[in-house]
Amino acid sequence: MPSASSTTPSRPSTPVLLAVLALVFVLGVGWILHGQRQTEAAHAALEELEAHSAQFTRLDALLLQVLEAESGARAYVLSGDEHYLSAYIDGRAQAGDTLAALRTGFAADPGALAAVDALAEPVERRWLSLDQLVAGRGSGSVEAATLIAGSAITTDIRARIEALRAPVRTRIEGITRASFERSGQARGINSVLGVAIIALLLVIGGLAWRQEELRGRITALLRTENARLQAEVDARTAELTSLAGYLSETREAEHARLAAELHDEFGPLLSAVRMDAVWITRKLPAEALEPVRGRFDHLLDTLGRVVSSKRRIVAGLKPPLLADLGLAEALRSLIAEMQDLKGAEVVFDAPEALPPLAQPVALALYRIAQEAIHNARRHAGAQRIAVTLAPAGEEILIGVSDDGAGFDPAQVRAKGHGLAGLALRARLLGGRLEIDSARGRGTRIEARVPLQPAG
């Protein structure tokens, strides 16, 4: 099967995606700056347009003020009604204000400012002529002369105002035309930038879609590879578990064979040697035995210890009471033998009656208890060890607690195989092993195994 690395599709280049994103960012910033410049230019053009329009309006207002004052004065002369004089009377001050505003508006244009100053002179003369017209009401000759002179002055005022309006009108038209041109250019630039950004966004979308597609393919490949690896791990685990079970059975069988040989062959030989030694001591004369009696006593004592050691070794290799009297009695015998040795006090708690146990279950629980007690005595420095055996539903529970030094289970698992071996014994029978320990507060090892072995 090809490896995952040979079938994994190539991913799009990250630098390409970053470059496209950077380009989109640059274009976006350029678009914003261009829009800001266009806004500022439009605002400036609008302010300038408003200023010129205001001057244009003031020129029209000045001409209108002169014409309304002239009409009002003529109406008064013809009708004698004084209410017609309001436009003439108020117009002088209004015209002065309008001229002052024109001077302010044309302050930056020396030529236009000089033309406004020149315009003020005929406007003043026009009001003086209107003063004469109003004052000479009823005198035909004065009225005629004043009207003729005033018309000439008004014509001059109109011409001067038109001369000032012409460049203002031209400037307004230029500003309007330039604004339309800038607007057209802005539309073009905005269109180009918009199309470019949209195109780049489409490119980014395509790259993102491709990455997502590749991610999905990679995920599928990884899932397939993980499933294959998991199946392989499960198969290897099953093989190792089967091998561990086989090795455990083989070891127990070898223990049983060695126990049988020690009991059947080595045991009788030791008994025969001891009996011969006793027979010799009885047959030798007292005067011949007396010099070596100490040696014979030591020999008999050593033979007795050898026989006891042989029995203990045989019991360790194959518990003698397990098959005949059951797990509880076998554990009581084991604990009784350990009580004869110097070390921790071992107590045992079990109910009067236990459910029948399959031989593999009984042997596994016996070995777990034996190993746990051995570890507590030799490595934990325990002073008291408690062994508990009890049914728990469809399971049988055995627990070994001590008041020893305790340990960190994670570190011990990493360094040795003792606890792993205990856990494996329980797992081979479909059970589980739990360890509760910490430095300075003792240890509790608890195994739960089905009454009938799994499988």
Side-chain angles (χ1 to χ4, degrees):
M1 178 177 179
S3 63
S5 59
S6 63
T7 58
T8 301
S10 61
R11 298 172 65 87
S13 176
T14 300
V16 173
L17 183 58
L18 292 178
V20 174
L21 288 173
L23 186 56
V24 171
F25 176 77
V26 170
L27 289 177
V29 171
W31 196 354
I32 293 173
L33 293 177
H34 175 70
Q36 185 176 0
R37 285 196 297 269
Q38 287 298 116
T39 302
E40 292 174 354
H43 183 69
L46 181 60
E47 289 182 346
E48 187 178 2
L49 185 62
E50 288 178 350
H52 286 292
S53 297
Q55 290 296 85
F56 199 84
T57 301
R58 292 186 187 108
L59 290 172
D60 289 341
L62 179 61
L63 180 59
L64 183 60
Q65 290 161 2
V66 172
L67 293 177
E68 287 181 348
E70 182 179 341
S71 298
R74 287 182 178 181
Y76 168 71
V77 170
L78 294 175
S79 65
D81 189 350
E82 291 185 356
H83 80 275
Y84 288 115
L85 294 177
S86 59
Y88 154 71
I89 295 171
D90 297 335
R92 185 188 291 268
Q94 293 173 353
D97 293 340
T98 303
L99 286 170
L102 286 171
R103 289 189 182 94
T104 301
F106 287 129
D109 188 350
L113 184 59
V116 172
D117 291 337
L119 176 61
E121 189 271 333
V123 170
E124 182 62 27
R125 285 193 293 111
R126 183 61 179 125
W127 247 269
L128 292 175
S129 67
L130 291 177
D131 292 342
Q132 293 175 1
L133 178 62
V134 172
R137 177 180 179 273
S139 174
S141 59
V142 174
E143 293 176 1
T146 302
L147 289 172
I148 293 172
S151 297
I153 296 172
T154 300
T155 301
D156 182 35
I157 291 172
R158 183 181 282 109
R160 290 175 182 274
I161 288 176
E162 185 61 33
L164 283 169
R165 289 176 58 182
V168 175
R169 185 187 300 110
T170 301
R171 182 57 181 161
I172 290 174
E173 293 174 353
I175 293 172
T176 304
R177 186 165 49 253
S179 296
F180 277 112
E181 291 176 356
R182 283 195 300 270
S183 178
Q185 293 175 356
R187 283 196 300 271
I189 294 174
N190 288 337
S191 298
V192 172
L193 290 175
V195 170
I197 291 175
I198 290 173
L200 291 175
L201 289 176
L202 290 175
V203 171
I204 293 174
L207 291 175
W209 176 81
R210 185 184 175 198
Q211 281 191 334
E212 188 63 28
E213 182 186 19
L214 291 175
R215 188 179 293 109
R217 292 170 60 189
I218 292 172
T219 301
L221 288 173
L222 289 176
R223 188 181 297 112
T224 302
E225 185 66 13
N226 288 339
R228 185 189 69 81
L229 292 175
Q230 185 62 44
E232 185 174 344
V233 168
D234 292 342
R236 295 291 177 85
T237 302
E239 291 176 3
L240 292 175
T241 302
S242 176
L243 177 61
Y246 170 75
L247 292 177
S248 179
E249 292 176 359
T250 302
R251 182 176 59 183
E252 292 296 340
E254 184 66 17
H255 285 176
R257 185 186 66 79
L258 288 174
E261 290 183 0
L262 286 173
H263 183 272
D264 296 339
E265 298 182 16
F266 192 56
L269 291 176
L270 287 175
S271 297
V273 170
R274 191 173 188 284
M275 290 174 62
D276 289 343
V278 171
W279 184 84
I280 291 173
T281 59
R282 290 177 180 175
K283 295 299 181 180
L284 284 175
E287 61 277 7
L289 181 62
E290 189 62 29
V292 293
R293 179 173 293 279
R295 289 287 185 180
F296 267 101
D297 292 341
H298 179 70
L299 174 63
L300 292 175
D301 182 64
T302 301
L303 287 173
R305 289 200 301 271
V306 170
V307 171
S308 298
S309 298
K310 185 267 299 179
R311 289 173 181 170
R312 188 170 61 255
I313 292 172
V314 170
L317 291 172
K318 183 181 180 181
L321 302 179
L322 188 63
D324 298 332
L325 300 179
L327 177 60
E329 293 302 323
L331 288 174
R332 287 192 179 94
S333 175
L334 172 66
I335 291 171
E337 291 180 3
M338 289 187 174
Q339 294 285 32
D340 294 338
L341 303 175
K342 291 183 179 180
E345 175 191 6
V346 185
V347 296
F348 179 59
D349 180 29
E352 291 295 331
L354 289 173
L357 301 176
Q359 188 63 22
V361 174
L363 181 59
L365 294 179
Y366 181 88
R367 292 303 186 195
I368 290 173
Q370 184 183 36
E371 181 71 16
I373 295 172
H374 173 76
N375 291 339
R377 288 171 58 89
R378 294 194 57 183
H379 304 300
Q383 298 299 315
R384 188 175 188 278
I385 303 172
V387 181
T388 304
L389 180 66
E394 297 297 321
E395 296 177 325
I396 185 74
L397 178 150
I398 190 165
V400 179
S401 302
D402 66 70
D403 59 357
F407 58 90
D408 183 352
Q411 293 183 357
V412 172
R413 283 193 182 98
K415 293 180 180 178
H417 303 288
L419 295 178
L422 297 182
L424 179 61
R425 284 185 180 274
R427 196 161 52 245
L428 287 173
L429 298 173
R432 61 192 182 279
L433 184 78
E434 297 178 357
I435 301 173
D436 180 17
S437 181
R439 295 190 182 279
R441 65 176 183 86
T443 302
R444 175 169 177 79
I445 296 176
E446 184 176 282
R448 291 176 179 266
V449 177
L451 294 175
Q452 296 298 324

